[in-house]
Amino acid sequence: MRIDILSILPDFFNIAFEQSILKRAQKKGIVEIHIHDIRKYSTNKQKSVDDYQYGGGAGMVMCIQPIDDLISKLKSERNYDEIIYLTPDGEQLNQGICNKLSTLKNIILLCGHYKGIDQRIRDHFISKEISIGDYVLTGGELGAIVLSDAIIRLIPGVISDETSALTDSFQDQLLSPPIYTRPSEYKGWKVPEILLSGDDKKIEKWRQEQAEIRTKTRRPDILKDK
Ligand code: ADE
């Protein structure tokens, strides 16, 4: 998979994609991440990327020209399955969206700033708009990192334990059950007896029950959709 990220803050991504699993996925050649500086594509002398909004009002708007030039260049080089704009008024991200996106070959993630981008970019280029939650961030960069991370870990070969991504919370619309590791007792705090029993069937049943209890008490809203 190839992910092209368009931003006015290209340095923002340095640490995020150079750690552990995401770094390994790139080294293995499973995913390519390309960060593009929108400002470099501005044709005006000051290399500005934003301007006042028509009709008045506070806040600057990101201009069409540099974004158009950058997206058009990328589109002339390869086909993109989705061109995604990160924005608080987009569709709220969930595991189902991540599953679908993880099967794609080439995607563009466009990060907005200030008040947002000129609507005409959204109308003419964007195929999907995604929000990572009902709150407003300073820009789309954190959203692009969250989305990339959630997608990349689902691509086969990225996580060494192949089954682990499938047993995540949300994957079957249930939260994960409690998990434990050694020691079996610490300061008198004990691991549930059943997990030490070696009886796989009983353990599976217990995990399923615990996942249901957790989901009912913490996220009844996702159970309702089942
Ligand atoms: N940009 C600003 N806020 C955002 C949000 N909540 N999700 C995605 N992109 C954003």
Side-chain angles (χ1 to χ4, degrees):
M1 176 184 225
R2 176 183 167 117
I3 303 177
D4 287 276
I5 301 181
L6 286 42
S7 162
I8 57 165
L9 298 174
D11 292 341
F12 207 97
F13 301 93
N14 291 347
I15 294 176
F17 294 130
E18 286 307 317
Q19 310 298 316
S20 109
I21 293 175
L22 299 191
K23 184 178 183 178
R24 205 165 0 105
Q26 292 173 85
K27 273 206 167 151
K28 282 196 202 167
I30 299 171
V31 66
E32 270 180 45
I33 301 172
H34 298 266
I35 311 292
H36 306 272
D37 183 358
I38 294 172
R39 198 176 296 279
K40 279 197 184 150
Y41 290 80
S42 173
T43 51
N44 70 33
K45 262 199 220 123
Q46 300 76 31
K47 291 275 167 202
S48 69
V49 289
D50 60 327
D51 210 334
Y52 296 102
Q53 59 174 312
Y54 279 123
M60 305 295 274
V61 178
M62 287 175 72
C63 302
I64 302 181
Q65 179 272 316
I67 298 174
D68 174 25
D69 284 4
L70 176 49
I71 294 182
S72 298
K73 174 183 168 289
L74 291 172
K75 281 179 69 177
S76 74
E77 292 164 354
R78 69 196 61 75
N79 288 325
Y80 284 92
D81 303 300
E82 296 280 7
I83 301 182
I84 300 169
Y85 175 47
L86 282 305
T87 175
D89 57 4
E91 179 182 4
Q92 190 152 328
L93 186 60
N94 59 37
Q95 193 63 46
I97 297 174
C98 296
N99 291 347
K100 278 189 201 139
L101 294 177
S102 73
T103 65
L104 302 181
K105 196 155 175 269
N106 300 315
I107 61 172
I108 288 177
L109 305 183
L110 172 61
C111 307
H113 257 264
Y114 318 114
K115 260 276 189 266
I117 59 174
D118 191 300
Q119 181 62 37
R120 289 166 288 182
I121 287 286
R122 297 169 78 156
D123 295 342
H124 296 283
F125 286 115
I126 301 300
S127 59
K128 208 172 190 47
E129 301 191 330
I130 290 181
S131 161
I132 61 159
D134 283 343
Y135 40 80
V136 180
L137 300 165
T138 53
E141 283 75 13
L142 285 168
I145 293 170
V146 167
L147 180 58
S148 303
D149 185 291
I151 293 171
I152 293 168
R153 62 185 293 286
L154 293 170
I155 303 173
V158 170
I159 293 183
S160 41
D161 175 2
E162 282 281 333
T163 57
S164 128
L166 293 173
T167 54
D168 289 336
S169 279
F170 296 108
Q171 210 40 287
D172 51 4
Q173 287 181 297
L174 282 181
L175 301 183
S176 293
I179 52 167
Y180 302 88
T181 187
R182 285 187 287 185
S184 61
E185 185 171 345
Y186 180 85
K187 290 186 177 172
W189 307 332
K190 290 185 180 152
V191 169
E193 219 34 73
I194 189 139
L195 295 177
L196 312 175
S197 70
D199 186 333
D200 291 344
K201 270 206 177 129
K202 276 193 184 154
I203 291 172
E204 191 41 50
K205 186 166 170 275
W206 180 86
R207 286 186 170 147
Q208 181 67 25
E209 284 164 6
Q210 292 295 317
E212 284 170 15
I213 292 168
R214 219 172 231 204
T215 313
K216 253 181 224 156
T217 51
R218 297 181 184 201
R219 293 294 305 275
D221 55 308
I222 58 174
L223 268 186
K224 265 187 235 136
D225 300 338
K226 271 195 110 177

